[in-house]
Amino acid sequence: MIKRFSTFSNQIIFSPYRQKVFRVIPQNDDLKNHSHMYVFLGLCLHLLFFQVDFWQPDSVTLVRPKMQVDFRVEAEKSFKVEDLLKENGMEYQVLIDNLQAALNAQFDNQARTAGHSYVKYNNWNTIAAWTADIAAQNPDLVSRSVIGKTYEGRPMYLLKVGKSGSNKKAIFMDCGFHAREWISPAFCQWFVKEAVETYGKDTVMTTLLDKLDFYVLPVVNIDGYIYTWTNDRMWRKTRSKHAGSTCIGTDPNRNFNAGWCTLGASKSACSSTYCGPAPESEKETKALADFIREHLSTIKAYLTIHSYSQLLLFPYSYTYSLPSDYEELNSIARAASKELASLYNTEYTYGPGATTIYPASGGSDDWAYNQGIKYSFTFELRDTGRYGFLLPESQIKPTCEETLLAVKYIANYVLEHLY
């Protein structure tokens, strides 16, 4: 458990022991290895008794043959886990040998500033102040509103970015669903920065802002995000309390009414993929869903930004069935991934969520698509596991630059194919 966060040293202080992150890739090329897979699944269930934190996939129930499995282990249990892996003949690697060092190494941007910066991770108070500042400094392009309050009572700020005009269609983009995915809110901030700085200079961005509005929700899970700065850097869920359970929080991206609490979600309040007591039980998901429902006639695309894995996903995740717009969505994802790779050769995998990574019900992208928002995509930003959720600040700029290319491609496509 992380004990405190120092805003002076920018070092997260927690247990002095060395937590580790392991990666295991079970194989099933032949009968022997197929049985190997079942051995590993049994091992995973055994690992649950060690309270292993699954990073990729989100839960042991989602482990499949040939899937890489990343998980974090408390320091005092890591040696026993390593012994278990060896005893069962599992091939594995240690992705992060010293989590404390990796936590502190995130802050590798030496130009520390007291205020907001686009190339370092900003805490919630800094982001909230930034939303007010960016709107005040760019009144012709940006306005700020509050779409609801979090479980702990914090205002959820939404930025509307675009030139004023009549009958404009819109794209909704959110970041920070899962608290520990810090690179996600960094991108929403970067997008707004690029919008205001390149309007009138970049022809594509200028056209987009002239003809479309962008609704940008910089952090969905504000309470959880704050908790990752103050108590537990690895926290994922919201901070809501549930009757009959001492466990805290719901996975907000399992809380939408899209195959709610079926595949890839848990009914256990203690699980990291807990779907909540009912669809939209979380104030955060309810506020987001209410806003989109109120603006369904204008919102033509929905983009939600997560990490990690370098994926560009589209519906469905709660079913293996393909969406009716599969061919078009797949074509867009292919082209957007190519655009993204054009800058730093970062490779993205694309496709429907359930078949591309694993099934997950109650997701916001599936829900938006079922509301009639055809162009619905989920980004899983850098990296593929070397740093996982602890992506260093030195990678914020290149990550955001390449992602912006894909977002602009999708937005431009939407503009040219309004429905």
Side-chain angles (χ1 to χ4, degrees):
M1 177 65 70
I2 298 169
K3 297 303 182 186
R4 67 182 174 86
F5 174 78
S6 167
T7 54
F8 301 102
S9 65
N10 287 304
Q11 289 194 343
I12 298 176
I13 309 301
F14 74 131
S15 164
Y17 302 106
R18 287 167 49 141
Q19 296 189 21
K20 293 186 178 184
V21 178
F22 292 91
R23 167 170 292 172
V24 179
I25 306 178
Q27 300 294 322
N28 73 332
D29 292 335
D30 53 37
L31 186 61
K32 178 184 175 183
N33 281 334
H34 195 65
S35 63
H36 212 52
M37 175 65 200
Y38 290 105
V39 171
F40 178 67
L41 283 173
L43 179 65
C44 284
L45 292 173
H46 190 78
L47 290 175
L48 290 178
F49 290 104
F50 289 94
Q51 297 179 314
V52 164
D53 172 25
F54 281 85
W55 281 19
Q56 180 72 14
D58 302 328
S59 164
V60 64
T61 60
L62 300 174
V63 175
R64 297 292 182 268
K66 290 191 173 182
M67 177 185 288
Q68 73 177 31
V69 180
D70 301 347
F71 56 89
R72 175 175 63 96
V73 181
E74 295 291 337
E76 59 273 21
K77 302 167 184 173
S78 63
F79 297 107
K80 180 61 177 175
V81 167
E82 202 156 0
D83 287 342
L84 276 170
L85 293 171
K86 290 175 181 176
E87 288 169 10
N88 286 275
M90 293 292 158
E91 288 191 22
Y92 71 94
Q93 64 184 112
V94 179
L95 288 179
I96 299 176
D97 182 61
N98 184 338
L99 193 70
Q100 177 69 72
L103 287 166
N104 296 333
Q106 293 171 104
F107 303 103
D108 63 350
N109 179 351
Q110 299 304 311
R112 307 312 301 177
T113 59
H116 182 271
S117 170
Y118 292 104
V119 291
K120 69 180 181 69
Y121 293 120
N122 300 293
N123 63 28
W124 171 245
N125 287 339
T126 304
I127 295 172
W130 166 83
T131 62
D133 292 343
I134 198 81
Q137 294 164 11
N138 302 275
D140 294 337
L141 278 177
V142 184
S143 61
R144 186 180 80 156
S145 62
V146 176
I147 65 168
K149 288 190 174 181
T150 68
Y151 178 83
E152 294 179 344
R154 298 181 175 91
M156 296 175 66
Y157 295 118
L158 180 78
L159 297 177
K160 181 181 180 181
V161 185
K163 292 292 285 186
S164 60
S166 58
N167 302 315
K168 290 181 73 180
K169 303 304 181 185
I171 292 175
F172 190 101
M173 180 166 65
D174 60 52
C175 294
F177 252 91
H178 293 134
R180 60 190 179 186
E181 298 168 9
W182 283 11
I183 188 60
S184 170
F187 176 73
C188 270
Q189 295 163 68
W190 185 276
F191 175 84
V192 176
K193 171 190 85 78
E194 286 295 305
V196 300
E197 288 183 358
T198 66
Y199 180 80
K201 302 172 185 177
D202 178 81
T203 55
V204 174
M205 183 65 84
T206 302
T207 300
L208 289 174
L209 297 179
D210 281 343
K211 298 185 177 180
L212 293 171
D213 288 326
F214 289 84
Y215 294 115
V216 181
L217 189 59
V219 184
V220 175
N221 182 9
I222 298 167
D223 298 344
Y225 185 70
I226 291 173
Y227 197 73
T228 63
W229 282 79
T230 59
N231 289 73
D232 183 354
R233 176 64 182 84
M234 292 295 108
W235 187 256
R236 167 185 169 92
K237 300 190 288 181
T238 62
R239 295 295 300 164
S240 57
K241 295 178 181 177
H242 309 289
S245 176
T246 57
C247 293
I248 300 293
T250 291
D251 183 340
N253 206 39
R254 301 294 191 278
N255 193 234
F256 287 82
N257 195 12
W260 178 78
C261 218
T262 52
L263 291 172
S266 174
K267 291 182 172 66
S268 169
C270 299
S271 170
S272 62
T273 57
Y274 177 48
C275 59
E280 297 179 26
S281 62
E282 302 308 286
K283 289 189 174 183
E284 297 85 353
T285 55
K286 181 72 161 58
L288 191 161
D290 281 346
F291 181 87
I292 289 180
R293 277 190 288 260
E294 291 166 9
H295 296 81
L296 263 183
S297 62
T298 57
I299 296 175
K300 299 301 177 183
Y302 173 77
L303 307 177
T304 183
I305 314 298
H306 292 251
S307 74
Y308 60 98
S309 286
Q310 294 174 196
L311 303 169
L312 181 49
L313 308 172
F314 53 85
Y316 284 108
S317 289
Y318 72 86
T319 174
Y320 288 104
S321 299
L322 297 178
S324 56
D325 301 293
Y326 168 76
E327 294 295 342
E328 184 179 13
L329 294 176
N330 197 60
S331 175
I332 296 168
R334 180 192 305 115
S337 297
K338 186 176 180 181
E339 278 291 308
L340 187 151
S342 69
L343 192 58
Y344 297 108
N345 296 315
T346 305
E347 292 187 11
Y348 266 56
T349 303
Y350 58 88
T355 54
T356 305
I357 44 170
Y358 46 76
S361 59
S364 63
D365 54 352
D366 285 354
W367 175 84
Y369 183 79
N370 285 347
Q371 294 297 305
I373 301 174
K374 179 165 68 166
Y375 303 116
S376 181
F377 294 94
T378 293
F379 282 83
E380 295 279 357
L381 303 184
R382 293 190 189 183
D383 56 6
T384 56
R386 167 63 182 86
Y387 297 104
F389 301 117
L390 305 176
L391 196 71
E393 287 176 327
S394 55
Q395 291 200 35
I396 293 176
K397 183 174 184 286
T399 300
C400 291
E401 286 175 336
E402 67 191 11
T403 308
L404 182 67
L405 295 179
V407 168
K408 285 170 68 174
Y409 175 86
I410 294 172
N412 197 58
Y413 182 95
V414 172
L415 179 60
E416 294 175 353
H417 298 82
L418 290 174
Y419 56 97

